[in-house]
Amino acid sequence: MSYQLTIEPLGRTIEVQDGQTILDASLREGLYLPHACCHGVCATCKVQVLDGEVDHGEASLFALMDFERTEQKCLACCATLQSDVTIEADIEEDPDALELPVRDFDGVVSRIENLTPTIKGVWIRLDHPEGMKFQAGQYINLNSADGETRRAFSLANSPSERGEIELNIRHVPGGRVTGWIHNELAVGDRISLSGPYGRFFVRKSAKLPNLFLAGGSGLSSPRSMILDLLENGCTTPITLVYGARTLDELYYHKDFVELAVQYPNFTYLPTLSGAQDGDGWTGARGYVHDVAKEHFNNDFRGQKAYLCGPPPMIDACITTLIQGRLFERDIYTEKFFSAADAQQVRSPFFKSL
């Protein structure tokens, strides 16, 4: 059984299967609806139902309050159709966004490498003959071995490498999926996933210098974006400021050093926040935002900035960029939540606390 979903202001009508969420059906048709946590708690995917009936599913009472339900609002990530439905969504069109449909993929683990003591590189060769078409900066949802859990991981390879994708996965202490990946997953294992997801991408049409600020496994998306830019002949300045705690946690360091030699428009600025005397490190010491501030003399005007890393790093970088006269509209961050993150999202009444 299926129903028809009409999405305004696009005027597009798509088919939605019984039990399929509004968000999933839309993404699989290449129609992007704003979303973040996908667990019914952040309210990013809230839409207005103009006609028809929906089941609200597991939408949190904080994210979707009783009066909003009465006003015929719903969360696209949880809501399923009970009839043909028309919704109105706050959709921002962007000339640089590739509207790619989400698909399910199967593949085999072709390679696993220890990139750092806590981050593994996992390569998956996809069964699909055309591989996965994605935009640099996007991510996939990886299914656990039992198929009951999924986790989001950024794509670290260039979009030109469609047949074999690369994930850089940090072990989260106590993490069910990352523990399985780090302790049990082996070359030759079968694996399933879906994608691509996300609206984190380079605004190429702006033709402005691109500044990437990354920390830890947050390097995944910037690496994909930088490789894509360089492969496609980008001549505008590209700067990567990448931070780790210690030297053994600084991965793909040699590759970026070589890229900086090969491409005059690419500048690589690695920094260690916990460097120790005698470890052989002769580069910058300190945090990503401080190194960026010094390099640009606290003046970030005329740039597009892309941020990936732990939340404290993101917050510090945003503050530094704004103090350095970069408008918020020119700052982009990767926005996806883990299940653990979702549990920490509080009521909208407490956003300022």
Side-chain angles (χ1 to χ4, degrees):
M1 185 176 181
S2 64
Y3 298 104
Q4 299 296 304
L5 172 67
T6 301
I7 303 173
E8 300 293 356
L10 298 178
R12 288 280 303 275
T13 299
I14 63 174
E15 186 175 3
V16 182
Q17 300 301 315
D18 187 32
Q20 185 179 26
T21 66
I22 290 174
L23 179 61
D24 184 68
S26 300
L27 294 177
R28 289 178 181 276
E29 289 294 327
L31 301 176
Y32 178 81
L33 298 182
H35 62 281
C37 76
C38 295
H39 297 286
V41 294
C42 76
T44 304
C45 65
K46 191 176 297 178
V47 298
Q48 179 71 52
V49 177
L50 301 178
D51 185 55
E53 299 294 329
V54 302
D55 184 321
H56 291 291
E58 298 181 358
S60 162
L61 289 173
F62 285 135
L64 188 69
M65 299 182 188
D66 287 339
F67 77 88
E68 293 178 306
R69 298 172 193 238
T70 302
E71 293 174 350
Q72 298 299 303
K73 291 182 172 62
C74 72
L75 301 185
C77 74
C78 295
T80 56
L81 305 192
Q82 302 299 298
S83 68
D84 291 343
V85 170
T86 299
I87 64 169
E88 184 175 43
D90 185 16
I91 299 174
E92 295 182 5
E93 297 188 57
D94 193 301
D96 292 302
L98 298 181
E99 303 298 348
L100 303 172
V102 169
R103 295 286 184 263
D104 295 318
F105 295 89
D106 293 307
V108 62
V109 177
S110 54
R111 183 161 45 121
I112 298 177
E113 289 186 12
N114 291 321
L115 299 177
T116 78
T118 59
I119 300 173
K120 283 187 182 289
V122 178
W123 284 259
I124 303 169
R125 186 169 298 282
L126 303 175
D127 293 346
H128 196 287
E130 296 180 1
M132 178 191 295
K133 185 176 182 181
F134 68 93
Q135 188 165 13
Q138 291 190 296
Y139 66 93
I140 58 95
N141 277 330
L142 185 72
N143 298 318
S144 62
D146 58 16
E148 296 181 0
T149 310
R150 65 179 186 177
R151 291 291 183 267
F153 297 109
S154 297
L155 291 152
N157 56 292
S158 166
S160 63
E161 301 169 355
R162 296 183 187 178
E164 184 181 51
I165 62 171
E166 177 188 349
L167 311 175
N168 300 159
I169 301 174
R170 181 177 66 88
H171 184 217
V172 178
R176 177 179 178 181
V177 176
T178 62
W180 161 62
I181 291 170
H182 274 253
N183 300 322
E184 301 178 35
L185 191 67
V187 172
D189 286 354
R190 300 289 302 173
I191 206 161
S192 64
L193 55 95
S194 61
Y197 295 95
R199 297 278 279 191
F200 188 58
F201 54 86
V202 176
R203 272 60 180 181
K204 295 180 180 180
S205 64
K207 297 182 179 179
L208 293 173
N210 295 298
L211 171 60
F212 297 92
L213 305 177
S217 60
L219 182 64
S220 301
S221 290
R223 179 173 183 263
S224 177
M225 298 157 96
I226 290 168
L227 291 175
D228 181 55
L229 286 170
L230 295 176
E231 286 177 6
N232 286 281
C234 174
T235 57
T236 56
I238 303 170
T239 303
L240 168 64
V241 185
Y242 175 52
R245 192 174 61 86
T246 58
L247 186 57
D248 60 355
E249 295 174 340
L250 194 70
Y251 71 104
Y252 283 131
H253 175 63
K254 292 182 179 179
D255 290 358
F256 284 117
V257 169
E258 292 174 359
L259 286 174
V261 173
Q262 183 179 355
Y263 296 94
N265 62 317
F266 175 58
T267 300
Y268 172 51
L269 302 171
T271 181
L272 299 181
S273 61
Q276 301 294 321
D277 293 337
D279 62 9
W281 179 247
T282 58
R285 299 183 180 218
Y287 295 105
V288 168
H289 62 283
D290 290 327
V291 172
K293 180 178 181 179
E294 180 179 357
H295 180 76
F296 288 98
N297 295 315
N298 198 29
D299 187 351
F300 299 101
R301 289 177 294 178
Q303 308 242 12
K304 289 285 187 180
Y306 304 90
L307 285 53
C308 280
M313 187 215 87
I314 297 291
D315 292 342
C317 286
I318 290 175
T319 299
T320 298
L321 292 170
I322 292 176
Q323 289 176 345
R325 292 175 283 183
L326 187 65
F327 289 113
E328 189 174 357
R329 65 169 183 256
D330 294 319
I331 302 172
Y332 306 92
T333 61
E334 194 168 38
K335 296 179 180 178
F336 65 77
F337 287 63
S338 70
D341 293 330
Q343 298 306 314
Q344 298 176 24
V345 178
R346 295 181 292 177
S347 164
F349 287 129
F350 298 96
K351 283 185 176 179
S352 62
L353 299 180

